[in-house]
Amino acid sequence: MAQGPTITTIAERAGVSIASVSRVLNGLPTRQETVRKVMAAAEELGYVRNAVARSLKSRRTHQVAFAMADVGNPAYLAMLREIQPVLKAAGYRLVLHSTGAVVADEIDVLHSLGERYVDGMIMVPLRVTEAHLQMLGAARAPVVVIGSVPEGTPVDNVRADSRTGVRLAVDHLHALGRRRIALVNGPTDTVPGAARGAAYREALAERGLPYDEELVEIGDFYRAEGARAVAALLNRVSDVDALMCANDLIALGALDVLRAAGKRVPEDVAVVGMDDTDLAAASWPSLTSVSLGSAERGRVAAELLLDRLQDGEHEPRVVTVPPRLVVRASTTPEPPAVRDVTQAAVRDVTHAVGPADTQSRSTEGTEGTEGGGTS
Amino acid sequence: MAQGPTITTIAERAGVSIASVSRVLNGLPTRQETVRKVMAAAEELGYVRNAVARSLKSRRTHQVAFAMADVGNPAYLAMLREIQPVLKAAGYRLVLHSTGAVVADEIDVLHSLGERYVDGMIMVPLRVTEAHLQMLGAARAPVVVIGSVPEGTPVDNVRADSRTGVRLAVDHLHALGRRRIALVNGPTDTVPGAARGAAYREALAERGLPYDEELVEIGDFYRAEGARAVAALLNRVSDVDALMCANDLIALGALDVLRAAGKRVPEDVAVVGMDDTDLAAASWPSLTSVSLGSAERGRVAAELLLDRLQDGEHEPRVVTVPPRLVVRASTTPEPPAVRDVTQAAVRDVTHAVGPADTQSRSTEGTEGTEGGGTS
DNA sequence: CGAAACACCGTAAACGTTTACAGACTCTTG
DNA sequence: CAAGAGTCTGTAAACGTTTACGGTGTTTCG
């Protein structure tokens, strides 16, 4: 409460100048006797450096911002979980911006960089508009963008590869003998929706499967919407043997409907989700899912930013993180028999989980996308 | 990049003093002509206020810290999701501290309040030690603690009520006719573990059920551990008809084992989880779970802190958030028949879900506990 | 013994704001 | 027209640091 002690207070108490106090506190060469006096005074007074004054003078805040649409989104959360420790280890605090679905808010956040309350920023834009590019060009501090940004944009860039991701899934299903592979997508006017739709067509073509419009259903990236979409799909075509879902929630909705319709998963219909969220491991049957490497993208972004903060003037870097297919029960049949219940139970827990009261820290992967589009 | 413009730059450009510039920018009464000139200059130069200098002078950072053990933990995440918008609406930025399982780090974070880089802090301590209480007493900025703190501690305090929570669950199971209700707990040397163990005994007593040591199994708060514990339990006693699990992950492990053992849920064994995480709605069967109101505790904490930041000198407040039982399929039989698949599929999606690529923002409830104990 | 070299320390300026105070100007009024 | 009131603006100090610079005192060496 009481006005905390400053270096002036210490200087008086120790009978030295504020310059000496500062030098001692910063470990600059000083006579032993002075060091002792200053340390003693600081100790007694319970002195703590004022970060604000320090930042003003040094032009370094030791803070970094992470801006995304919604902390509740597992993809962003996965990034955050990786970003946080990297920054912390480097002595940076993390300022969180959850902008919501409003694109204008992202521009605001970029603009606020001018306030210089952070040394740099990691941003996951919902969409990359003209305004974004303009602000990125004029940004007053280094920015790392997670999600693709056009060549030549003067920022470090970490990308996912949903194209390859979808291909991994389709190849997997194809290898399992599935030939009527449907796509349950989200809105195609979102970045991930569009990318996944296109990738699906390509992947089919590569495998020599025909593209059948009947097999594509558009819903939204929610469980209930996914369920509706799958119900509609099943009413229309009866011989579907695999569902490629554009995210895990849609896939959960698909499982709901398939179960209700009496179809066995994966025997009758195989299901693949996308983003490899915690939900994928929790569902029954557990969900095969494509990880677009959110966690790793977060880590890489943090590292790129730290590099940039140290060095500053190298060329912008672009890193693409490869996707990964995590195979679980929704595409491969259960192991024949169950010997030991304990063993069986633990079987498909692919994720390590953390401290009390809940799970935490899945070591790798989850959702991922360039953007996040909201209808 | 280039050294951004300051009020001095503007003053020169507009031909006025820096005091006038400051006045204009802060909307203090000024001649119209001056306002025009300053605004024009600011506009042309793309001026943005320097938050650091501003904070130094005004002694307000407009930043608030949220400190907890692990962002990946759904309980903390639920809090964060509520805290963030409340603070944002009030014009505060959010600084995130994920301390990890190390108690000493929490003390460090409290100590760092002295650096004055935030105006206040919301903390969810893992445990409340003597050191905590001491630091809280001497804190240089207002702190709101989520999790019980002794009477007389000079901070605002938001509490959960896991006792009542467990009672709700036991009453529910009892009402369903279950009489052999087992407890699958986490380590009893953690705050939640201890609280839940005690509450279980009490709740049984209230219902006139005997406390049977055979029915209590201790594991850890993870899925695999939960599975092991339940397997051990089933090997020991055969007539269990309900499992009260100390968190949702344990409950998921329980479902795994019960399925493998050929027991039907809920017909043979009913299962209740705790914390009401997103996983509860995602599992199959969906999981009845006790919400300790993490989301609401977060919101309340944020509001208490804002009050404190405005007013400052009122008495510490204590708020207890009531638990809530969210009933799903793991305790109540499925509805008899499925008419409309769509309908059926959407049936137990109790949580609203958010934008693209994943779920988000469950409107209410999730885990909760006073602490978080890690083994 | 005087000067040069050196170690240590204090004075003061700077970082970019906000704000108390007083000066300058305009306007009103007797 | 002089004086007083009122309006606007500029000067300067302050917030709590860091750091360039120069001063003092001690040591070293010719």
Side-chain angles (χ1 to χ4, degrees), chain B residues 244-263:
Chain B
M244 160 88 241
C245 302
N247 82 349
D248 283 348
L249 283 173
I250 293 177
L252 288 184
L255 291 182
D256 294 336
V257 172
L258 289 171
R259 183 158 27 226
K263 303 261 192 186

Side-chain angles (χ1 to χ4, degrees), chain A residues 217-356:
Chain A
E217 186 71 33
I218 311 288
D220 206 338
F221 291 107
Y222 311 133
R223 183 172 183 171
E225 278 296 317
R228 282 199 194 93
V230 172
L233 185 74
L234 292 182
N235 282 340
R236 192 167 62 222
V237 289
S238 56
D239 62 341
V240 173
D241 60 9
L243 292 176
M244 162 86 241
C245 302
N247 82 347
D248 283 349
L249 283 173
I250 293 177
L252 288 185
L255 292 182
D256 293 335
V257 171
L258 290 170
R259 182 156 32 222
K263 304 262 193 186
R264 291 167 306 158
V265 175
E267 292 81 356
D268 301 327
V269 180
V271 176
V272 179
M274 203 151 190
D275 296 346
D276 189 33
T277 60
D278 287 345
L279 300 178
S283 79
W284 186 264
S286 62
L287 200 61
T288 293
S289 189
V290 177
S291 163
L292 293 179
S294 292
E296 192 180 350
R297 280 186 288 157
R299 191 175 44 70
V300 170
E303 285 162 358
L304 286 180
L305 185 57
L306 289 178
D307 272 6
R308 173 75 53 187
L309 288 175
Q310 294 223 314
D311 167 343
E313 290 308 340
H314 51 259
E315 284 294 291
R317 294 183 187 154
V318 176
V319 177
T320 299
V321 171
R324 215 161 41 89
L325 182 72
V326 181
V327 178
R328 295 197 185 83
S330 68
T331 57
T332 57
E334 289 301 296
V338 173
R339 280 270 151 60
D340 175 318
V341 279
T342 306
Q343 208 45 34
V346 181
R347 191 187 136 262
D348 66 25
V349 179
T350 46
H351 283 205
V353 284

Side-chain angles (χ1 to χ4, degrees), chain A residues 1 4 22 27 32 39 57 65 97 119 130 171-172 198 201 222 233 243 264 291 304-305 316 318 323 330:
Chain A
M1 286 301 155
S22 177
Q32 207 46 42
M39 287 313 219
K57 183 67 196 171
H97 287 289
D119 296 339
E130 196 44 54
D171 287 0
H172 172 62
R201 285 185 85 130
Y222 311 133
L233 185 74
L243 292 176
R264 291 167 306 158
S291 163
L304 286 180
L305 185 57
V318 176
S330 68

Side-chain angles (χ1 to χ4, degrees), chain A residues 46 51 59 70 73-74 94 96 115 192 196 222-223 247 249 259 275 281 284 354-360 367 372-373, chain B residues 3 51 70 73-74 94 96 115 140 192 196 222-223 247 249 259 275 281 284 354 356-360 367 372-374:
Chain A
R59 292 151 169 287
D70 172 19
N73 185 314
L94 208 234
L96 202 69
E115 294 180 26
R196 289 161 202 196
Y222 311 133
R223 183 172 183 171
N247 82 347
L249 283 173
R259 182 156 32 222
D275 296 346
W284 186 264
D357 278 88
T358 173
Q359 98 286 11
S360 111
E367 203 276 356
Chain B
Q3 201 71 287
D70 172 19
N73 185 314
L94 208 236
L96 202 70
E115 295 179 25
R140 294 258 168 78
R196 290 163 201 195
Y222 313 131
R223 182 172 182 169
N247 82 349
L249 283 173
R259 183 158 27 226
D275 295 347
W284 185 264
D357 277 88
T358 172
Q359 98 284 13
S360 110
E367 202 276 355
T374 304

Side-chain angles (χ1 to χ4, degrees), chain A:
Chain A
M1 286 301 155
Q3 201 69 289
T6 70
I7 52 170
T8 308
T9 329
I10 297 185
E12 284 165 4
R13 166 83 79 125
V16 299
S17 73
I18 60 166
S20 289
V21 176
S22 177
R23 275 188 289 259
V24 170
L25 294 175
N26 290 310
L28 298 176
T30 315
R31 190 162 49 126
Q32 207 46 42
E33 168 66 4
T34 311
V35 172
R36 209 188 42 67
K37 283 191 296 187
V38 169
M39 287 313 219
E43 187 77 18
E44 288 172 36
L45 293 168
Y47 172 78
V48 183
R49 264 199 199 83
N50 183 308
V52 178
R54 188 159 227 250
S55 297
L56 178 58
K57 183 67 196 171
S58 67
R59 292 151 169 287
R60 281 277 180 159
T61 60
H62 295 282
Q63 294 191 155
V64 161
F66 176 49
M68 77 289 146
D70 172 19
V71 230
N73 185 314
Y76 301 136
L77 180 60
M79 293 174 189
L80 178 59
R81 293 206 293 227
E82 294 291 315
I83 291 171
Q84 205 274 336
V86 175
L87 293 182
K88 182 178 177 183
Y92 285 88
R93 284 187 293 264
L94 208 234
V95 177
L96 202 69
H97 287 289
S98 197
T99 57
V102 189
V103 175
D105 281 5
E106 290 177 359
I107 306 297
D108 279 353
V109 167
L110 283 173
H111 189 250
S112 77
L113 275 182
E115 294 180 26
R116 308 208 145 278
Y117 61 95
V118 287
D119 296 339
M121 165 148 126
I122 298 172
M123 161 167 266
V124 199
L126 267 180
R127 310 171 191 285
V128 179
T129 67
E130 196 44 54
H132 280 87
L133 296 177
Q134 204 170 319
M135 288 305 300
L136 288 172
R140 293 260 168 76
V143 178
V144 176
V145 173
I146 300 182
S148 297
V149 117
E151 303 298 328
T153 310
V155 298
D156 294 311
N157 190 205
V158 183
R159 303 177 175 178
D161 182 358
S162 59
R163 177 146 312 188
T164 303
V166 171
R167 186 154 47 70
L168 286 177
V170 169
D171 287 0
H172 172 62
L173 292 169
H174 185 269
L176 291 171
R178 308 299 164 133
R179 292 297 178 269
R180 295 287 285 167
I181 304 172
L183 171 69
V184 190
N185 204 356
T188 47
D189 64 339
T190 63
V191 180
R196 289 161 202 196
Y200 167 75
R201 285 185 85 130
E202 286 183 23
L204 287 187
E206 273 181 35
R207 286 288 148 200
L209 294 176
Y211 176 76
D212 179 354
E213 271 195 5
E214 289 281 293
L215 288 177
V216 177
E217 186 71 33
I218 311 288
D220 206 338
F221 291 107
Y222 311 133
R223 183 172 183 171
E225 278 296 317
R228 282 199 194 93
V230 172
L233 185 74
L234 292 182
N235 282 340
R236 192 167 62 222
V237 289
S238 56
D239 62 341
V240 173
D241 60 9
L243 292 176
M244 162 86 241
C245 302
N247 82 347
D248 283 349
L249 283 173
I250 293 177
L252 288 185
L255 292 182
D256 293 335
V257 171
L258 290 170
R259 182 156 32 222
K263 304 262 193 186
R264 291 167 306 158
V265 175
E267 292 81 356
D268 301 327
V269 180
V271 176
V272 179
M274 203 151 190
D275 296 346
D276 189 33
T277 60
D278 287 345
L279 300 178
S283 79
W284 186 264
S286 62
L287 200 61
T288 293
S289 189
V290 177
S291 163
L292 293 179
S294 292
E296 192 180 350
R297 280 186 288 157
R299 191 175 44 70
V300 170
E303 285 162 358
L304 286 180
L305 185 57
L306 289 178
D307 272 6
R308 173 75 53 187
L309 288 175
Q310 294 223 314
D311 167 343
E313 290 308 340
H314 51 259
E315 284 294 291
R317 294 183 187 154
V318 176
V319 177
T320 299
V321 171
R324 215 161 41 89
L325 182 72
V326 181
V327 178
R328 295 197 185 83
S330 68
T331 57
T332 57
E334 289 301 296
V338 173
R339 280 270 151 60
D340 175 318
V341 279
T342 306
Q343 208 45 34
V346 181
R347 191 187 136 262
D348 66 25
V349 179
T350 46
H351 283 205
V353 284
D357 278 88
T358 173
Q359 98 286 11
S360 111
R361 313 238 57 191
S362 51
T363 4
E364 252 298 314
T366 63
E367 203 276 356
T369 169
E370 44 281 332
T374 304
S375 61

